[in-house]
Amino acid sequence: MSLIGQDIPMERPDTDGRAALLVPVTGVKEDVLMTIRKGAAIVGFANHDQTVTVYFESNRFDDPVLAKWEHKARKAYDRLVENAPTVSKLTTSQTNFEQIGYINGKGITIRRMDSLKRWLEYSDAMASCPETEIVPRTVIAKVDVVKA
């Protein structure tokens, strides 16, 4: 049984269009977990062949700007709408993911916070969890590193 809603966006959204927020289902295949990594923010859209295309951000280089889950979601969303070249992309069966909400140019709407918390708790990343179900878009300032 798929935990993807019937209202999942179909095909890649335009700039500021709506994309789905997703988390892996409990018991997802290990190869999917190895690809997306624990704690990743995952955004995507449905394809007509019953698959989903997802873009994800796991902050594997520990960028302090991407410490919060919502900032990772925004980074993945920006890649998705720009169709940017990335290795952080996967097309797979819808049965691997649960849709928990939406993201667009204005912000994030989480409809299944309990599922997001389950994913972040499993990932030892609860500190990055948003405090509310509605997260308005914020501009993240780039941190300039000055070498001595």
Side-chain angles (χ1 to χ4, degrees):
M1 182 177 104
S2 176
L3 296 173
I4 301 290
Q6 289 184 345
D7 59 345
I8 187 170
M10 294 293 293
E11 301 179 344
R12 181 182 311 281
D14 294 331
T15 302
D16 289 339
R18 186 173 73 158
L21 287 168
L22 306 161
V23 295
V25 295
T26 302
V28 69
K29 295 178 183 175
E30 190 64 30
D31 62 329
V32 173
L33 276 181
M34 295 290 290
T35 302
I36 62 170
R37 300 173 49 119
K38 288 183 174 181
I42 307 160
V43 302
F45 56 90
N47 302 304
H48 293 288
D49 64 355
Q50 303 299 307
T51 62
V52 288
T53 298
V54 297
Y55 284 67
F56 48 90
E57 176 58 56
S58 60
N59 195 19
R60 68 178 170 178
F61 299 113
D62 294 324
D63 183 345
V65 172
L66 298 174
K68 291 185 172 188
W69 177 87
E70 63 258 31
H71 295 157
K72 291 187 252 184
R74 176 63 50 198
K75 178 80 171 189
Y77 172 81
D78 289 345
R79 268 195 224 116
L80 180 148
V81 297
E82 294 169 11
N83 199 13
T86 181
V87 297
S88 298
K89 174 182 171 183
L90 176 68
T91 299
T92 186
S93 170
Q94 291 183 6
T95 60
N96 290 321
F97 294 98
E98 175 183 354
Q99 183 179 353
I100 61 164
Y102 299 96
I103 183 170
N104 63 24
K106 296 178 182 176
I108 294 171
T109 302
I110 301 167
R111 293 197 173 155
R112 295 184 177 156
M113 182 64 88
D114 56 330
S115 295
L116 174 59
K117 287 181 177 179
R118 173 192 49 82
W119 167 238
L120 294 176
E121 186 173 344
Y122 169 79
S123 303
D124 295 323
M126 278 301 288
S128 72
C129 189
E131 295 178 15
T132 62
E133 287 85 4
I134 306 293
V135 182
R137 181 171 189 157
T138 56
V139 178
I140 305 169
K142 280 284 190 185
V143 178
D144 291 328
V145 178
V146 179
K147 294 186 179 182

